[in-house]
Amino acid sequence: QALINEVLPFQLNRVKLDANSANKAKELDINVNDKFWIAQKGNPFPTVAEAIQEELESYRAKEEDIRKLKHSMGLDGETDETISLLTDNTAELTSTVKSLPELLEHKRLIDMHTNIATAVLEQIKCRKLDVFFEAEEKIMNKQATERSVIDMIKDVECGSVEDKMRIALIKYLCTDMSENEVGQLMQALESIDCDVSAFKYLKRVKQFSSNATSDQYSGGGMKTVNMFSKLLSQSSQFIMEGVKNLVIPKRNLPLTGIVDAIMEMKNNPEVDGYLQFDPKLY
């Protein structure tokens, strides 16, 4: 489901196929009670492809059983309507005829899911999403990639702008990069007319996070251990000092500091880029 939403127009359980072609887009409605959809919507694409193949083979087996039954009764040249008129001949034929609507619905659902899977596969090949996925997994697992991220970004035949932005953000968030490397990455994105505002935002957030985690907690540690080891021999003043060390000091999040600087009109370089609007004028 997530992959369909990523690569195809998908809204309110309606999928549009060939939306970018000159022909009219084909719309497919997915029923929320569709058993195949319920079972497979959270699975990875290869698993779904195998499940579709299994469903198709199951349908073909049932279709072959019906064909053999028609042949045994000498109805090879007849239609399904003719079969429905002969329901009183055998119990087997009656059971087969009763299962025909269910079988036809099964075939319709298989065709729908096959068409959707085919469209998804075309997008995977066109955008080389498998290449991006493999590279992103290696980056997150601290492994070397076959191609550098900058090379993938500059490759005009590799992925969409969104794909290249995604792998750039993963690279930035999961690895330690120097300012020079970050600058080269942003230049590569800008060279393909990619909006780097999201990159700049995450860069600022990462800087805030680094500033927050670099602060060290005061107190606790060895003083607390010493307090318990010398509890009976120390004065009450020392004991109270140890208790204070166990209390986590008040710490402000980066967002709190930004809001405080804006509200108090403090001189802070972190808020220089913010604009203030007077509600009386707008």
Side-chain angles (χ1 to χ4, degrees), residues 62 64 75 98 124 150-151 231 244 246 257:
K62 293 179 181 178
E64 180 64 18
L75 299 174
K98 288 183 178 180
I124 291 175
I150 293 181
D151 287 342
L231 181 61
K244 291 179 181 179
L246 293 175

Side-chain angles (χ1 to χ4, degrees), residues 1 23 30 40 45 74 82 105 109-110 115 168 179 204 215 220 246-247 269 280:
Q1 181 178 1
N23 300 326
I30 300 177
Q40 302 296 333
F45 182 76
T82 305
E105 176 64 12
L109 293 176
I110 291 176
N115 290 334
E179 284 296 326
R204 176 174 290 187
D215 296 336
L246 293 175
V247 179
K280 298 178 181 179

Side-chain angles (χ1 to χ4, degrees), residues 204-216 251-252 254 270:
R204 176 174 290 187
V205 170
K206 189 175 182 180
Q207 290 174 345
F208 288 156
S209 300
S210 300
N211 293 336
T213 56
S214 63
D215 296 336
Q216 299 295 325
R251 297 168 57 83
N252 292 329
E270 293 181 350

Side-chain angles (χ1 to χ4, degrees), residues 133-146:
F133 177 78
E134 182 180 359
E136 290 163 5
E137 285 292 311
K138 288 184 177 180
I139 292 172
M140 289 186 286
N141 291 317
K142 310 297 183 181
Q143 299 175 359
T145 56
E146 295 181 1

Side-chain angles (χ1 to χ4, degrees), residues 143-163:
Q143 299 175 359
T145 56
E146 295 181 1
R147 299 177 60 187
S148 68
V149 174
I150 293 181
D151 287 342
M152 295 179 67
I153 292 174
K154 292 182 178 180
D155 188 350
V156 295
E157 297 181 355
C158 189
S160 65
V161 174
E162 291 79 8
D163 298 328

Side-chain angles (χ1 to χ4, degrees), residues 163-203:
D163 298 328
K164 295 175 180 181
M165 171 58 78
R166 183 181 64 252
I167 194 172
L169 294 178
I170 291 175
K171 173 71 173 178
Y172 176 67
L173 293 174
C174 296
T175 59
D176 294 327
M177 302 178 64
S178 65
E179 284 296 326
N180 184 39
E181 292 174 332
V182 173
Q184 292 178 355
L185 195 59
M186 292 186 66
Q187 287 179 0
L189 291 171
E190 291 173 341
S191 67
I192 59 172
D193 296 329
C194 181
D195 184 5
V196 295
S197 57
F199 197 108
K200 292 179 179 178
Y201 173 77
L202 280 184
K203 184 179 178 182

